[in-house]
């Protein structure tokens, strides 16, 4: 009656490793993008403020309280973790499905934000401290 389906289909092309990763990067799930984005904004804002403080201390500016880099860095990291977690909790609801289902939030949304904030805060600090600071000190 007809050709079998296996003969009618073209062979499936195997994608390379980097092609698969690029496709995953371009089609990232919205909750993950929101979690990383909120943590990135908080980390950049706080990281720039920390680097300005750090550069001012390296240039021997007389700041009140002396050298409080460890305290400021600790507050910065904790603030980014808290802000990333809170903003993700607010903007990433559970999937509601179709119809008039009620949008709910759970602690898992906050956990997603926390887990996204940990590497983001580290990477922002490394980039700002290793790239931006030498440019500012010139």
């Amino acid at each position: 009656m007809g050709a079998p389906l296996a003969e009618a289909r073209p062979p499936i092309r195997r994608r390379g490793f980097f092609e698969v990763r690029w496709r995953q990067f371009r089609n990232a799930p919205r909750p993950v993008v929101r979690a990383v984005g909120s943590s990135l904004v908080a980390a950049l804002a706080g990281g720039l403020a920390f680097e300005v403080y750090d550069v001012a201390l390296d240039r021997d500016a007389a700041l009140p309280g002396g050298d409080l880099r460890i305290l400021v860095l600790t507050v910065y990291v904790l603030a980014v973790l808290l802000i990333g977690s809170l903003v993700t909790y607010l903007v990433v609801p559970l999937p509601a499905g179709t119809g008039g289902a009620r949008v709910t939030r759970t602690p898992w949304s906050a956990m997603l934000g926390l887990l996204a904030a940990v590497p983001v805060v580290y990477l922002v600090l490394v980039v700002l401290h290793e790239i931006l600071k030498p440019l500012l000190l010139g």
Side-chain angles (χ1 to χ4, degrees), residues 12-100:
I12 297 174
R13 183 177 67 90
R14 302 262 319 153
R15 294 188 171 135
F17 177 80
F18 292 108
E19 187 178 358
V20 170
R21 299 300 161 250
W22 179 246
R23 184 178 173 90
Q24 288 174 339
F25 175 74
R26 285 184 324 185
N27 300 316
R30 275 186 271 166
V32 173
V33 172
R34 290 175 183 168
V36 171
S38 64
S39 298
L40 185 61
V41 168
L44 282 173
L48 288 172
F50 175 73
E51 284 304 321
V52 167
Y53 178 74
D54 192 30
V55 168
L57 285 175
D58 285 347
R59 291 188 175 173
D60 295 328
L63 297 174
D67 187 355
L68 301 173
R69 286 180 227 199
I70 298 298
L71 176 65
V72 172
L73 184 63
T74 304
V75 169
Y76 160 70
V77 170
L78 292 176
V80 170
L81 294 178
L82 181 69
I83 290 169
S85 209
L86 179 67
V87 170
T88 304
Y89 175 78
L90 294 174
V91 300
V92 181
L94 285 174
T98 60

